[in-house]
Amino acid sequence: MVSPSFLYYVRLLRVNNDFVVIRPNLGCRALVQRCVCNIAPALARELSSWQGDVRVRCSQLLCAVAFHAEEYLTQHLQDLLPAMYTAARDEDQRVVVNVLQAGELIGLFVPVETWCKLILPAIEDGPHYGQLAVLSSLIKGTPCQYIKLHLEDICKLLAEDSICQSRKCKYQLQLVKCVRTILSKCNQEKKELGEYIFRIIVTVVALRDSQNQYLFDLSLLEDLQNAFGFLSVTSVWSEYSPNLLKKINVDPKSWTSITVERCIFESFLLESGEAFGENLQETGDILEKALDTDADPESRLKTFIALSTALECKDKIFKNATDLDAFLQKLLVQVLVPTLVWHAGLTAEAMRTMAVACVCSVLNPGVQVDLFPQAATIAPFLEKLTPLLLSLTEDSSSRSRQLAIEALTLIKLIASKRKCWDTDALLKVYPELLKRLDDPTDTVRITAVKAIAIIFKEPPSEFTKSNYNGHHEHLIDTLVTHFDDDDDDLQSHLADCLKVIAGVASKTTLLDKFNKHKKLTRNSAKLEDLFREFISIA
C-alpha cells in the first residue's frame, strides 16, 4: 500500500522542476521519521553552538534530516525555524549554504500554510536578514502551484514600510533575493500582486547602500515586466506610479535628505520616463511642497538636481503628458520663482543656482514637445520670471549669472516663436546683458555675447526704426570697445554679434561709429575689415 506521504511527494516532483531528487530508501526514511522528535530539538540547540565545527556538522545533519523526515518535520518547525534564522547569519558560509539548502527541502515537503504561519509573524515582529534568507529558500523550494496562493500575503508583508525601508546592506541583498525568488514563481498573476513587488523594488533601490550599488538596480523591474506580462518597463511605471505617488505624498515640506519618501520620489523623477508626464498633477503637488523655501535645504538641492536632470529628457517624459502647459506654469511661477528671489547666505545662493538651472531645463525646447503653444500662456510667467532673471545676472555666483543669461535667451526664443516678443521686452533685457561684458568670469562674458546675438536676431520691426538710433549707437559702442579684448574666443563671438547688430542699425550709423573707433582701437585692421563687410551687406 502506497503511503500518503509518498503520493504527496510524487505530486510535488511533478510540478517542481527545480529538484531532481532520488528518494532515500524506505528503511532510512522510517528510521529518521521515528527519531526526528529527538533529533530536531537537539539540532535547534546546536545550530547556535559556540563551536564552529559543531555548527557546520549540525547544518549538514539538518539537510539530511529534512531530506529523510519529509513532512514529519512539520511539528518541529517552531523550534527549527528560529535556529535557522540565526544560522543563516553565521560567519561560516558553509553553515549558511547548508541551512538554506535545508530550507528549500522544508519548502518542498512541508505545506506552505504551516511555515507561513510561523515565519511571517516573526518577520513582522522584528525582521532581520536571516529571516529573509530562510524565507527566500522556503519559497524557492515550494512548487509553484502551492506557493502562488500565498504569494500575495507574503508580498503584502514585505511591502510594508517597516519591512522594506531598511538601509542595511545585507538586509537589502536578502530582500532583493526574496523578490527574485517570488518573481520566479509568478506567471502573469493579478496586477495587485505586482504592485507590492514594484513598491519593494523601487524602495530598496532608492535606499540602496553604497556597497550594493553594483549588485542590484532598477533592472529588477525587467523581471517584474516579464513575470506579469507587461509590454515594457515603461508600462510597469505607468501602471503602478499613481498609487506610489499618492503613498509618498505625505507632508513633503518636512522631508530631509534621508527621508525615505524623498529618495523614492527622486527615483521616480529620474527613472519613470513617460510615467512622469502621465502623473503631472500629483508630481506638481509634491514638487510645490518639497521645494518650498522653508523646506530642508539639502533635500531641496537633491530634488532640484533630480528635476533638472529629468527635464533634460522632456521629449521622453512628456510624450504622453496631458495639460502640460498648466504643469509648466505651476512649476515656473509657484515652485521656481520663490527660490529665485535673493536671500543672503551660501545656502540660498546654491538654491538660486539650482532653481535657475531648472528654469533653463523647463524652457529648453524639445524636439517633439511643443512648449507653450499659445501666446496667452506665456504672459503669466514672463511677468514674474523675467525681472528675477535680470537681477540674477548680477548674482554673486558666476554659474547663476551664466544660467540666468541662458534662461533669458530661451525666453526670447519662445516669445518670438509665439509672436509676443516686443520692443519693451527687448529694452528691458539687452542693457543687463551688455553689463555682463565686463563680468570677471570669461564664460559669463562669452555667454552674454552669444545671448546678445540671439536677442537681436529678428528683433521687433519697431526697434529698427531711426527713433531707436540711440540704442543702436550704444550697442555698437559697447561691443566695439570690448573688441580689443585679448581673448580670441571672445573676439570671434563679438564679431558674430556685431554682424547681427549691423542688420539692425542703419548704414550711416555704422560709418559714423567706424570712423569714431578706428583710431581708438588696437585691432583697427580687424575692425576695418569687419566694418567694410558690414557696410557691403547693409
Side-chain angles (χ1 to χ4, degrees), residues 294-503:
D294 293 329
D296 178 72
E298 189 175 354
S299 172
R300 289 172 64 205
L301 186 61
K302 290 187 175 183
T303 305
F304 270 130
I305 293 172
L307 176 61
S308 180
T309 304
L311 290 172
E312 293 297 330
C313 306
K314 56 171 61 66
D315 284 332
K316 179 180 179 181
I317 65 175
F318 294 144
K319 183 178 180 180
N320 300 324
T322 56
D323 205 11
L324 177 58
D325 280 357
F327 170 76
L328 293 179
Q329 287 187 50
K330 180 178 182 179
L331 183 61
L332 287 167
V333 177
Q334 299 181 31
V335 178
L336 299 178
V337 162
T339 305
L340 294 176
V341 177
W342 188 89
H343 295 283
L346 294 177
T347 300
E349 180 182 303
M351 293 298 111
R352 289 194 300 274
T353 302
M354 285 312 308
V356 73
C358 285
V359 170
C360 290
S361 297
V362 172
L363 298 178
N364 196 22
V367 177
Q368 301 174 1
V369 178
D370 191 19
L371 300 177
F372 308 107
Q374 302 297 327
T377 62
I378 303 176
F381 73 81
L382 275 183
E383 293 177 1
K384 295 185 177 180
L385 192 59
T386 304
L388 290 170
L389 291 174
L390 291 173
S391 68
L392 274 177
T393 59
E394 298 183 358
D395 195 82
S396 55
S397 167
S398 62
R399 182 61 177 161
S400 293
R401 298 195 299 273
Q402 181 183 353
L403 290 170
I405 294 170
E406 292 176 1
L408 289 167
T409 306
L410 292 169
I411 286 178
K412 186 270 176 182
L413 293 173
I414 294 174
S416 294
K417 188 176 180 181
R418 302 306 173 207
K419 309 299 182 184
C420 59
W421 179 254
D422 55 21
T423 305
D424 289 340
L426 178 62
L427 295 178
K428 288 178 183 177
V429 171
Y430 94 82
E432 300 301 324
L433 297 181
L434 284 178
K435 291 179 184 178
R436 289 303 100 206
L437 296 181
D438 294 318
D439 197 275
T441 307
D442 289 342
T443 54
V444 176
R445 296 164 66 199
I446 292 174
T447 303
V449 174
K450 292 179 180 178
I452 293 170
I454 295 172
I455 291 290
F456 285 99
K457 188 176 182 180
E458 299 179 359
S461 57
E462 182 185 359
F463 186 77
T464 60
K465 295 179 180 178
S466 59
N467 53 330
Y468 287 95
N469 196 50
H471 293 281
H472 303 164
E473 293 179 356
H474 177 53
L475 277 165
I476 297 172
D477 285 338
T478 306
L479 293 173
V480 172
T481 299
H482 287 85
F483 195 69
D484 268 343
D485 197 284
D486 295 331
D487 190 328
D488 293 336
D489 194 17
L490 181 62
Q491 280 188 25
S492 175
H493 288 296
L494 281 167
D496 294 337
C497 187
L498 282 166
K499 290 177 184 178
V500 174
I501 302 302

Side-chain angles (χ1 to χ4, degrees), residues 155 176 179-202 217-241:
C155 292
V176 168
V179 168
R180 287 184 169 136
T181 305
I182 290 170
L183 288 173
S184 70
K185 300 293 181 178
C186 295
N187 184 17
Q188 297 190 14
E189 305 288 342
K190 57 183 181 179
K191 297 294 179 64
E192 290 80 0
L193 175 60
E195 184 168 1
Y196 292 129
I197 300 176
F198 172 79
R199 190 185 304 168
I200 297 169
I201 292 173
V202 173
D217 53 29
L218 284 173
S219 62
L220 287 166
L221 293 178
E222 295 177 6
D223 298 331
L224 177 61
Q225 168 204 335
N226 296 328
F228 288 85
F230 287 101
L231 296 177
S232 63
V233 172
T234 300
S235 301
V236 176
W237 280 104
S238 299
E239 177 73 22
Y240 298 127
S241 290

Side-chain angles (χ1 to χ4, degrees), residues 40-173:
L43 279 176
R45 289 193 304 272
E46 295 305 319
L47 277 174
S48 301
S49 172
W50 63 273
Q51 293 179 300
D53 288 344
V54 173
R55 296 197 303 274
V56 173
R57 294 299 183 188
C58 281
S59 65
Q60 293 172 337
L61 180 58
L62 178 61
C63 288
V65 170
F67 187 35
H68 288 75
E70 300 177 354
E71 78 274 19
Y72 282 80
L73 268 184
T74 300
Q75 59 186 325
H76 302 288
L77 287 185
Q78 192 166 357
D79 295 325
L80 283 174
L81 284 178
M84 292 172 67
Y85 305 153
T86 303
R89 296 187 291 175
D90 200 288
E91 295 179 357
D92 192 329
Q93 286 302 304
R94 293 174 297 175
V95 176
V96 176
V97 170
N98 290 331
V99 165
L100 297 184
Q101 185 176 351
E104 293 180 29
L105 291 168
I106 291 171
L108 177 64
F109 293 118
V110 177
V112 183
E113 310 82 48
T114 303
W115 57 259
C116 270
K117 290 177 181 177
L118 294 172
I119 193 170
L120 297 187
I123 294 175
E124 189 173 10
D125 287 343
H128 57 73
Y129 75 87
Q131 294 169 336
L132 296 180
V134 173
L135 175 62
S136 177
S137 66
L138 291 169
I139 296 172
K140 184 177 180 180
T142 306
C144 292
Q145 74 177 74
Y146 295 104
I147 191 64
K148 69 179 183 179
L149 301 175
H150 301 271
L151 285 179
E152 185 171 356
D153 291 335
I154 295 172
C155 292
K156 185 177 181 180
L157 174 65
L158 294 180
E160 290 184 3
D161 293 347
S162 59
I163 307 297
C164 66
Q165 293 182 359
S166 173
R167 288 183 164 86
K168 297 178 181 178
C169 177
K170 293 182 180 179
Y171 185 97
Q172 290 178 345
L173 286 175

